[in-house]
C-alpha cells in the first residue's frame, strides 16, 4: 500500500537552504527540495523571482496577521494548497472533456 510513497526519490525530500531577504534582513530558509520546486513554480506564475515572491508573501502575511510563528511551515502549507488546487484544476478540465 505505501510502496508509492516509500519509493519516493530521496532527492525530493533532501533539505536545501537558501538565503532570502525578508523585511530587510537576510535569513536562511531550509525546506525540502520538492517545496523549493513548487515555490519556484508559484513565483514564475506570479512573474517574480522566488526570493521576490517569498519576500512579498512574507510582507503580506505580516500585514494581515502580524508576527509569523513558523514561516517555513507556512511555506510548506502554501505549497500543499497550491498542489491541491492544481490537481483540482486538472480534474475539472478532464471532467469537462467528458
Amino acid at each position: 500500500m505505501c510502496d508509492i510513497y516509500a519509493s519516493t526519490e530521496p532527492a525530493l525530500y533532501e533539505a536545501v537552504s537558501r538565503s532570502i531577504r525578508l523585511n530587510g534582513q537576510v535569513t536562511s530558509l531550509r525546506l525540502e527540495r520538492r517545496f523549493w520546486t513548487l515555490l519556484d513554480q508559484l513565483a514564475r506564475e506570479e512573474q517574480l523571482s522566488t526570493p521576490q515572491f517569498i519576500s512579498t508573501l512574507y510582507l503580506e502575511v505580516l500585514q494581515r496577521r502580524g508576527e509569523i510563528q513558523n514561516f517555513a511551515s507556512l511555506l510548506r502549507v502554501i505549497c500543499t494548497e497550491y498542489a491541491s488546487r492544481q490537481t483540482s484544476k486538472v480534474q475539472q478540465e478532464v471532467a469537462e472533456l467528458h
Side-chain angles (χ1 to χ4, degrees):
M1 175 180 118
C2 292
D3 188 54
I4 190 170
Y5 304 111
S7 62
T8 298
E9 181 63 39
L12 293 175
Y13 57 86
E14 175 186 13
V16 175
S17 295
R18 290 192 191 177
S19 292
I20 304 282
R21 184 176 299 276
L22 297 176
N23 209 16
Q25 301 280 340
V26 176
T27 189
S28 181
L29 287 172
R30 188 171 174 89
L31 298 170
E32 293 74 15
R33 186 177 307 280
R34 180 65 178 128
F35 291 116
W36 283 119
T37 300
L38 289 169
L39 287 169
D40 292 341
Q41 188 173 338
L42 271 162
R44 275 193 308 276
E45 288 182 13
E46 295 295 323
Q47 298 179 339
L48 297 169
S49 69
T50 302
Q52 289 171 324
F53 174 78
I54 291 171
S55 181
T56 300
L57 177 65
Y58 182 82
L59 292 174
E60 287 180 6
V61 173
L62 276 180
Q63 289 172 349
R64 288 178 181 234
R65 297 198 176 88
E67 184 181 351
I68 303 169
Q69 292 296 321
N70 190 333
F71 191 57
S73 290
L74 174 62
L75 291 174
R76 288 183 186 93
V77 170
I78 287 168
C79 288
T80 60
E81 285 294 313
Y82 172 75
S84 178
R85 289 179 185 180
Q86 293 299 100
T87 300
S88 294
K89 191 175 5 176
V90 168
Q91 288 172 342
Q92 183 179 3
E93 290 172 0
V94 169
E96 290 172 359
L97 291 174
H98 296 285

